[in-house]
Amino acid sequence: MERKASLLVSVILSFCAAAAVAEVQLLNIECGGGDTLALDVLFESQVECGELISTSLTAQRPTVRFKSANEGDHYTLMMVDPSDALSPDTHVYRYWLHWLVTDIKGSELLEFSNLVKPGKSDVTGYVPPRPPYGTHRYYFYLYKQSRSPLSVSPITERARFDPGAFASLNNLGNPVAMNMFKAKKN
């Protein structure tokens, strides 16, 4: 019994360590850095990676495009705010999940496309940025799925969402594309 408990603790610690490494890697992905390609995001105008935009432009769910998508592959898109919702000095509610869509066909990503179509919905619906203080960063991460469909239950707890753990749990690997913008409280 002790041996099984010890093995379970080892597995949990390994998973936590992998998730922590994945989180650090996500935060270190910057615009145009590394092997990660550009994900085109369009609200009322196309988002330039790293730009400061008004939250009034982000009220509606954006369309996205990934020119390097493989038509036969499936992808997962997430939008997260790595800042803490309470204060920039705490990490109690880090990350905040704004949007999660799975099983996106590669062919749907080759042109700007509304990813939510009749008969298909987001795993977690889009919530526009509403930073409670200061300037927040909003990251879009696109992952190539190793299988489809991805069996994911709707995520109801947006606060404390862990993108690295989600990616690890679903065998997504590292993001293949990303974009990021900043918005501040009006």
Side-chain angles (χ1 to χ4, degrees):
M1 187 66 149
E2 276 184 40
R3 188 169 183 211
K4 285 183 181 179
S6 176
L7 180 60
L8 179 59
V9 168
S10 291
V11 168
I12 291 170
L13 289 174
S14 295
F15 179 78
C16 290
V21 167
E23 178 178 348
V24 169
Q25 289 172 341
L26 283 179
L27 285 175
N28 288 332
I29 296 173
E30 291 299 327
C31 301
D35 296 330
T36 307
L37 300 173
L39 177 68
D40 297 324
V41 177
L42 181 68
F43 285 102
E44 289 183 19
S45 61
Q46 191 165 333
V47 173
E48 295 299 322
C49 196
E51 80 175 303
L52 179 65
I53 63 176
S54 169
T55 56
S56 63
L57 297 177
T58 65
Q60 300 298 316
R61 181 178 47 234
T63 58
V64 299
R65 176 178 66 189
F66 181 47
K67 294 185 223 176
S68 298
N70 294 319
E71 285 189 30
D73 289 335
H74 287 81
Y75 296 83
T76 291
L77 175 73
M78 71 174 69
M79 176 185 170
V80 295
D81 175 358
S83 305
D84 194 278
L86 295 178
S87 152
D89 301 322
T90 66
H91 298 295
V92 176
Y93 292 109
R94 182 184 203 170
Y95 287 75
W96 182 269
L97 178 64
H98 282 267
W99 193 25
L100 181 64
V101 186
T102 61
D103 300 314
I104 305 164
K105 293 178 183 174
S107 58
E108 295 173 346
L109 290 169
L110 293 171
E111 298 295 328
F112 280 109
S113 178
N114 179 356
L115 300 179
V116 181
K117 303 190 180 323
K120 180 183 177 189
S121 64
D122 337 52
V123 172
T124 303
Y126 177 75
V127 172
R130 291 185 215 110
Y133 64 87
T135 301
H136 283 230
R137 298 167 296 153
Y138 298 90
Y139 284 85
F140 290 89
Y141 295 114
L142 184 71
Y143 296 87
K144 182 177 165 186
Q145 294 177 197
S146 59
R147 67 184 187 284
S148 183
L150 206 60
S151 222
V152 178
S153 299
I155 296 169
T156 56
E157 181 61 40
R158 293 175 185 268
R160 297 184 195 99
F161 176 74
D162 187 338
F166 179 85
S168 180
L169 181 67
N170 292 287
N171 299 313
L172 296 176
N174 290 323
V176 294
M178 64 84 58
N179 202 330
M180 181 270 277
F181 69 91
K182 299 172 190 169
K184 64 181 175 180
K185 184 176 181 172
N186 292 341

